[in-house]
Amino acid sequence: MKYDFKSADRKWQDRWEQAQLFRAREDSSLPKFYALVEFPYPSGAGMHVGHIKAYSGLEVIARKRRMQGFNVLFPIGFDAFGLPTENYAIKTGIHPRKVTDDNIARFTSQLKRVGFSFDWSRVVDTTEEDYYKWTQWIFRKMFDAGLVFRAKTLVNYCPSCKVVLSNEDSQGGKCDICHSDIVQKSKDVWYLRITEYADKLLEGLEEVDYLPNVRLQQENWIGRSEGAFVNFPIHGTEESLRIYTTRCDTMFGATFMVIAPEHPILEKYRSRITNIAALDAYKEECAKKTEFERTQLVKDKTGVRIEGLEAVNPASGRLIPIYISDYVMMGYGTGAIMAVPAHDERDYDFACKFGIEIIEVIKGGDIGKEAYTGDGEMINSGFLDGISTKKEAIAAMLRYLTEKGIGEKGVQYKMKDWAFNRQRYWGEPIPIVHCPRCGMVGVPYEELPLRLPVVENFAPGEGGESPLAKIDSFVNCSCPKCGGAAKRETDTMPQWAGSSWYFLRYTDPHNDRAFASEEALRYWLPVDWYNGGMEHVTRHMIYSRFWHRFLYDIGEVPVKEPYAKRTAQGLILGPDGEKMSKSKGNVVDPNDVVDEYGADVLRIYTLFMGDYASAAPWNENSVKGCKRFIDRTAALTELVRGRGVTPQLETSFHKTIKKVSLDIEAMKFNTAIACLMSLINEIYDCGSLTRDELEIFIRLLSPFAPHLCEEIWESLGNRGFASVAAWPEWEESKTVDASVEYAVQILGKLRGTITVPADADRDAVLAAAKASERIAPQLEGKQLIKEIFVPGKLVNFVVK
RNA sequence: GCCGGUGUGUCGGAAUUGGCAGACGAGACAGACUCAAAAUCUGUUAUCCGCAAGGGUGUGUGGGUUCGAGUCCCACCACCGGCACCA
């Protein structure tokens, strides 16, 4: 059969659509499988082949599950709010709504050309009113639950562009767009109290099946640590400086303190401090740096001693100096630390630079050279002296702190509360009204969605305000509570909002009375398998797990954890080995590949190019290899002779069914395809196969290359679709060859091989090995010390 | 600086998790078909010595454990990704 991929691609995509073959069925008596891929941001650049790889993994699994009889939900949608669209709109004057619609149309056509088995009847678009209505609804619920608050914080601000910038866009202290200097500006920020869910998010990891490194990354992001809060009295005042430490055992060695430059104590004791000008100058320097940069200056510690204030080490009773330095952050712990230079590397660097005393309190290192962070016997530590483990010393110190009332055990998280507002137009309006009498009032549920006003000018407002602030008709409103004049919140939500719950909407996407019905949620949740990029495993996944867990707590969803299993795919790099980007000009457009080689080749190559989880460069020549495989498969139709089993191929078929089945489950698509290629080579060597065998081959290949497989399936006279034909099964007993080849080693070196019946036992194999032509002479005259026998693999003779 | 990952032929990558390194694909070389090219098909292809049989060396580097190491342990080097100096 000569295979014309152009007509076959179109023909089968049309037929699948007519038959609505991939629609998830509303039949809760069937076993379900919910496969989720991260929905794309529909950028103006269109899709690149990396998107295809990201979807083709679960595509294969979803198709296999359908063939295994599952009711499969495999949806797709668009995460379409966001800055690039807004910036493009500002630049071109085209409204973001139009930009978004055009981009979605383009993405949709690209996806359809690849023949993905998405359920197109369930597409969601986060920018549509009947979607973001529910995003706002969930936010309102959080507001009611007290999980929303406002606080002042420092943000990166570009005075020239008049916008607040992310760390990413303000690297080196320069604005990414206009290259002017960034300043740190104090601003009111909306927060979601995600830290309240830190423990729940950690515990939830116990009941899910994530890749180990995904789980580890989430644990590190949440970053729970146990330690102690301790109050260090400020000498000559009634007040204390409160610190957090995980190493309270080293407290006798605390020879100074460091506070963040923004610490409020500076303002409070302004009059007592004699070098306030120097401190202010340092603080101003710090304000120019982003938080990220403050963490970069590692080697050369900077700081200024506060003259006129001293603290008392509550363990040793000694007076110790206080410094300000930017290596201490206001955002973690209490913004103040006790510094123990002998046993902390950063404190050690700082002490060396400023000539501060270093007191060893744990034996075992050489503190003349470097900080010692290991375990050892306590010294110079009063009542702790002689204790030999960290654990005991911490326990003893905690008892002491509690008894004396100067401190207590405490838990801290690395994770910060979630800054939830953006000063942008193209996002979900935050449904809050500011009333001069009632304060912050939520927009009533029945008034949702709070629509994003359609305006011509969506450029940023003055002083980093949202563009919405310029629209009087939007801003001015009446208070839902008291009816008096009030103003709307004009900031919008971050892009993370819409993507935090989209998987819930897929279960019931057209529901206008709830974000999804209870029945749909109960049947489809949790997501059985979620695949996406490593870059999303912390922020996006933790945010969405937080939202989901909140919805569980208020009884809106039936399961605690949204994602039962999470895997991640690796990047596709450009042909030059660099990350694909428009500016490097190394982007491969899936349409070009489909035009030249067909959808099946694109699908197979993205999965065959390497380990699914690793990055690999695009290689046009290897694409051709996949094309050959497709053509060789089509040509198999000419080798069909009769029905039944070809004895010469029987074992290979059973082995292949087994390997392909198991490899798909392990996302080892490259070896699954390699195995099918090997089988085809064997079939060609053999010269013929039966129709039954070809049908097995087609069903195994169908998830990878569905268009070709439908075409062959039809040409064999089958009715119905190969895409939903039964998945082949293997018989374990038939995956075993009649005879086995053993490697024979002498002293671990390969000296020959022997072939024995598969059921030969240890003695028989050893005897055969000793007697074999190659081995016998080499054993002659040697003393046999040991015989190693590995069933089915090898024998090894240890001789002297 | 911290955290995570990777390192295997000319290239992408396999290796049942401690058991014959290099499956499969690409590339290259040779041959068949062709007026010719493409496509297709058939061989060869880690490396060194050897006419051959055969032997030596080989998974970033240096050590170690083991009958046996790409795989485990220690130290180091290089590259990639993430980061919030997390006290």
Side-chain angles (χ1 to χ4, degrees), chain A residues 627-689:
Chain A
K627 170 79 171 123
R628 271 177 214 142
F629 173 55
I630 291 293
D631 290 339
R632 276 163 73 81
T633 304
L636 279 182
T637 51
E638 284 151 33
L639 303 182
V640 174
R641 307 276 183 276
R643 307 201 64 136
V645 173
T646 308
Q648 195 185 332
L649 295 172
E650 187 177 15
T651 307
S652 296
F653 262 95
H654 282 276
K655 279 183 176 171
T656 304
I657 295 169
K658 180 179 180 180
K659 182 154 179 65
V660 171
S661 300
L662 297 180
D663 278 359
I664 287 175
E665 295 304 317
M667 291 195 134
K668 293 168 76 168
F669 306 112
N670 53 339
T671 51
I673 294 167
C675 183
L676 290 167
M677 288 174 167
S678 292
L679 180 57
I680 223 175
N681 291 342
E682 240 182 280
I683 293 169
Y684 273 93
D685 286 346
C686 175
S688 73
L689 79 170

Side-chain angles (χ1 to χ4, degrees), chain A residues 67-81:
Chain A
M67 295 172 77
Q68 291 174 315
F70 285 85
N71 184 16
V72 172
L73 173 56
F74 186 43
I76 189 73
F78 299 95
D79 187 16
F81 275 131

